[in-house]
Amino acid sequence: MSIDRLFSILAGRMDQYAVLPILYHFHWMEWDDLSFDWCLVCIYGLFAVIITYAVCVPLELWRPVEHWPNQKAVLVDVFYTLLNRVGIIPIVSFLLFYQVQTAFTGGLVDMGFIPPTLDSLIPGLFGHPFVTFWIYALILDFADYWRHRLSHTFRAWYALHALHHAQRQMSFWSDDRNHFFDDCISFLWFFVIGLAIGIPPLQFPLLILLLRFVESFSHANIKLSYGKLEWLVVSPRFHRLHHALRAAGHHSCNYGGVFPLWDIIFRTADFSPIWLATGDAKSPEALATGSYLQQQFCGAKMFFKALFAPKKKAA
Ligand SMILES: [Zn+2]
Ligand SMILES: [Zn+2]
């Protein structure tokens, strides 16, 4: 049985025994067409978390960069991950994206305009879905490079992104540690790009999981570099340099999420063979070790303060 088929069966069971009874109980029957897709998104998210956990935990135990006396600060990152990968956020994003994409492309088609896809722009790609996927991945990673780099450029935006950098106990759980407003900006950013280039919906779920895995893995507390392959895929050492504490929160290198290519092209790549401590010395302690709500509240306060009193430069 293929893994896609297994996920469909699991999503079907979850839909049948957990989601549909709730929808019927509350008379929300109009959602029952979409409930299977919600379940599928949750199952994929859960699978991604389990695989990442199974790979990273033994490696973090085997070759940790840092030993921590206790891992209390990591717990909140676990919560961020579950919320972002399995919880409500992917479902809302999924629903919103596909509803708007359908309405948007439907509206364009009604006006006699067929929105372009990569296959239609580059006819040679037609019938080569694997190549098309990697081109999509490169385009999305390029967009992510600039989203990330700009979030370090604007002071108010960095006030939100500081939450991601405040973690001194960086582990594979830290990838999803972001402010809710920052997640909304990312969502809008990719939403617009997705509409412009036409992301094939759930066509390559396993490859998308692989790319997300690279991002989680790059945060892991593992003394690992990829040697000569380091310029091809972002490694834990490469991303750690972006999170490096250094002089009070200055992060000026390695913005790439999956491919270091964009850092190389735009001259922000740093492949130094060093392992630095992580964190942001300028961040309030609540951002580093506070609870989820304390971090969100503190980040929002910093954001509005920076927005209405722009003085200093971003980190
Ligand atoms: Zn950053
Ligand atoms: Zn990061």
Side-chain angles (χ1 to χ4, degrees):
M1 189 196 301
S2 77
I3 197 130
D4 285 4
R5 177 95 192 95
L6 177 68
F7 286 176
S8 294
I9 292 171
L10 288 174
R13 294 274 154 81
M14 183 177 161
D15 192 24
Q16 190 183 350
Y17 296 111
V19 180
L20 285 176
I22 295 173
L23 292 181
Y24 287 129
H25 180 79
F26 289 103
H27 303 289
W28 292 335
M29 276 80 92
E30 68 273 24
W31 293 105
D32 66 357
D33 276 355
L34 286 164
S35 63
F36 173 76
D37 289 339
W38 300 353
C39 295
L40 204 56
V41 170
C42 287
I43 295 284
Y44 273 110
L46 193 62
F47 176 73
V49 172
I50 292 169
I51 291 288
T52 312
Y53 183 88
V55 173
C56 292
V57 167
L59 288 171
E60 286 195 342
L61 287 170
W62 177 49
R63 296 197 67 187
V65 179
E66 293 172 337
H67 293 272
W68 304 311
N70 72 67
Q71 304 202 2
K72 217 172 135 237
V74 175
L75 273 182
V76 72
D77 291 0
V78 176
F79 182 71
Y80 276 105
T81 305
L82 295 178
L83 196 67
N84 272 280
R85 303 272 173 126
V86 194
I88 196 85
I89 289 171
I91 291 168
V92 173
S93 320
F94 173 82
L95 276 181
L96 228 89
F97 182 76
Y98 291 111
Q99 300 257 342
V100 175
Q101 193 195 31
T102 313
F104 180 77
T105 44
L108 288 177
V109 171
D110 285 348
M111 289 189 293
F113 177 77
I114 309 285
T117 62
L118 276 185
D119 288 348
S120 65
L121 290 172
I122 313 170
L125 287 177
F126 196 77
H128 296 95
F130 198 71
V131 180
T132 312
F133 172 82
W134 286 106
I135 297 177
Y136 272 115
L138 274 170
I139 294 172
L140 289 176
D141 199 54
F142 170 78
D144 194 46
Y145 171 88
W146 281 106
R147 179 202 59 77
H148 189 186
R149 195 164 163 184
L150 290 174
S151 75
H152 279 262
T153 310
F154 296 104
R155 190 167 168 254
W157 199 348
Y158 186 76
L160 297 174
H161 186 51
L163 200 162
H164 183 70
H165 281 280
Q167 180 58 283
R168 294 187 295 266
Q169 296 188 358
M170 193 171 84
S171 70
F172 68 94
W173 294 108
S174 306
D175 183 31
D176 288 294
R177 175 195 174 86
N178 292 304
H179 195 277
F180 177 71
F181 294 168
D182 207 8
D183 278 336
C184 291
I185 297 172
S186 301
F187 174 70
L188 276 175
W189 187 270
F190 288 108
F191 194 87
V192 171
I193 289 155
L195 290 179
I197 64 171
I199 305 294
L202 287 181
Q203 210 177 329
F204 302 102
L206 290 179
L207 285 171
I208 289 166
L209 288 182
L210 179 74
L211 299 181
R212 294 297 315 260
F213 175 81
V214 171
E215 289 180 334
S216 293
F217 194 70
S218 70
H219 289 85
N221 177 28
I222 305 171
K223 209 163 195 169
L224 184 71
S225 74
Y226 301 155
K228 293 225 162 44
L229 291 179
E230 192 124 289
W231 61 274
L232 265 186
V233 183
V234 168
S235 70
R237 187 174 69 184
F238 186 84
H239 194 62
R240 194 176 182 85
L241 276 169
H242 175 70
H243 277 263
L245 189 60
R246 282 188 255 181
H250 284 286
H251 314 284
S252 53
C253 67
N254 302 2
Y255 297 98
V258 177
F259 307 110
L261 176 71
W262 308 116
D263 280 296
I264 296 169
I265 291 176
F266 298 110
R267 309 178 74 81
T268 50
D270 182 350
F271 291 99
S272 306
I274 46 173
W275 307 89
L276 299 173
T278 65
D280 184 343
K282 283 185 184 167
S283 289
E285 190 54 29
L287 274 195
T289 51
S291 67
Y292 173 80
L293 286 177
Q294 284 167 336
Q295 292 185 6
Q296 294 296 315
F297 182 72
C298 180
K301 217 170 76 180
M302 283 167 57
F303 171 67
F304 287 116
K305 210 172 136 197
L307 200 63
F308 295 115
K311 269 181 272 160
K312 292 180 233 156
K313 278 178 75 185

